[in-house]
Amino acid sequence: NAGVTQTPKFQVLKTGQSMTLQCAQDMNHNSMYWYRQDPGMGLRLIYYSASEGTTDKGEVPNGYNVSRLNKREFSLRLESAAPSQTSVYFCASRGSPGTGELFFGEGSRLTVL
Amino acid sequence: QKEVEQNSGPLSVPEGAIASLNCTYSDRGSQSFFWYRQYSGKSPELIMSIYSNGDKEDGRFTAQLNKASQYVSLLIRDSQPSDSATYLCAVYNAGNMLTFGGGTRLMVKP
């Protein structure tokens, strides 16, 4: 059982380049999330999708776009990367609405030069 | 003011002692509270959830919630070196977003 799978695990970009982080879950969860984690900042929500076909902004959405491709997949796109987007990105999924447990992927470490 | 506040630490305790981790939150409408543990270089994992005032115990872990004071804590009894990690407090707000605190780094010394 793979759980939540993120790709790539590591990426180095130059300022202005674009890229997409992919996330897929095999737990049949409705809700999916993208967080970024910076030292001392905890996890900050970028975007989330409560169900297939819906997406909503979180705390720090600027500079990002998302696509909920189907129930399994939720991608995060950086259209024009900036050094401030250097971070570790976590995708997560959540089971039934009554539980708060998030299941996280292993993270994607992104460096923007 | 951040919605969920934690002391960043590090909190250092000797092996076998009780570690006490604290968290305050700003949204009075919050109903669900969680503690996640994150080892260095790894993803967070859920260790405790609490929804009503009082204490909830699970093995060596006890979560405490006081909604009137907007305060949630985690006690770890008989702390072990393997408990050394960053502990993240998380709260669902009225908008149904799970917001995390900055985390407290715990170090348990043998």
Side-chain angles (χ1 to χ4, degrees):
Chain A
N1 188 347
V4 179
T5 304
Q6 291 180 233
T7 56
K9 289 186 171 42
F10 299 94
Q11 184 73 49
V12 178
L13 291 176
K14 294 181 179 178
T15 296
Q17 288 185 319
S18 63
M19 76 158 298
T20 299
L21 298 175
Q22 306 285 356
C23 176
Q25 52 93 7
D26 62 4
M27 296 174 283
N28 201 35
H29 288 169
N30 286 321
S31 301
M32 297 185 73
Y33 304 77
W34 276 106
Y35 286 90
R36 62 176 287 174
Q37 187 171 37
D38 303 296
M41 301 290 289
L43 290 156
R44 292 185 291 170
L45 183 63
I46 305 170
Y47 272 94
Y48 66 103
S49 171
S51 61
E52 185 179 354
T54 68
T55 60
D56 287 287
K57 296 179 180 179
E59 301 172 69
V60 289
N62 291 344
Y64 305 95
N65 285 302
V66 290
S67 295
R68 183 73 183 268
L69 303 171
N70 47 54
K71 191 171 185 178
R72 290 187 64 248
E73 299 173 287
F74 188 38
S75 63
L76 178 71
R77 183 161 179 84
L78 287 70
E79 291 290 353
S80 179
S84 61
Q85 294 178 304
T86 293
S87 188
V88 179
Y89 291 85
F90 287 100
C91 177
S93 68
R94 175 184 170 196
S96 64
T99 173
E101 182 171 10
L102 296 188
F103 295 84
F104 286 87
E106 293 184 339
S108 299
R109 184 175 294 274
L110 175 66
T111 301
V112 183
L113 302 175
Chain B
Q1 180 191 4
K2 285 195 65 175
E3 290 189 35
V4 181
E5 298 266 10
Q6 296 180 254
N7 188 321
S8 61
L11 172 65
S12 183
V13 300
E15 183 175 356
I18 296 175
S20 177
L21 303 160
N22 303 314
C23 172
T24 59
Y25 60 94
S26 61
D27 185 350
R28 283 196 169 274
S30 299
Q31 297 294 323
S32 308
F33 308 87
F34 307 89
W35 285 98
Y36 283 78
R37 178 177 61 200
Q38 186 177 25
Y39 292 112
S40 181
K42 302 295 186 182
S43 55
E45 57 179 337
L46 182 71
I47 53 172
M48 289 289 286
S49 59
I50 187 165
Y51 304 97
S52 54
N53 280 330
D55 295 358
K56 178 182 177 183
E57 187 174 319
D58 184 0
R60 295 186 296 111
F61 298 96
T62 298
Q64 300 175 316
L65 175 61
N66 183 327
K67 290 184 179 179
S69 300
Q70 296 174 247
Y71 178 92
V72 59
S73 65
L74 179 70
L75 300 178
I76 306 174
R77 290 182 300 281
D78 188 24
S79 296
Q80 301 297 310
S82 59
D83 294 325
S84 297
T86 296
Y87 290 80
L88 300 164
C89 174
V91 177
Y92 271 109
N93 63 19
N96 206 31
M97 291 198 305
L98 186 63
T99 300
F100 285 82
T104 298
R105 184 174 162 221
L106 173 66
M107 298 172 58
V108 181
K109 296 189 179 298

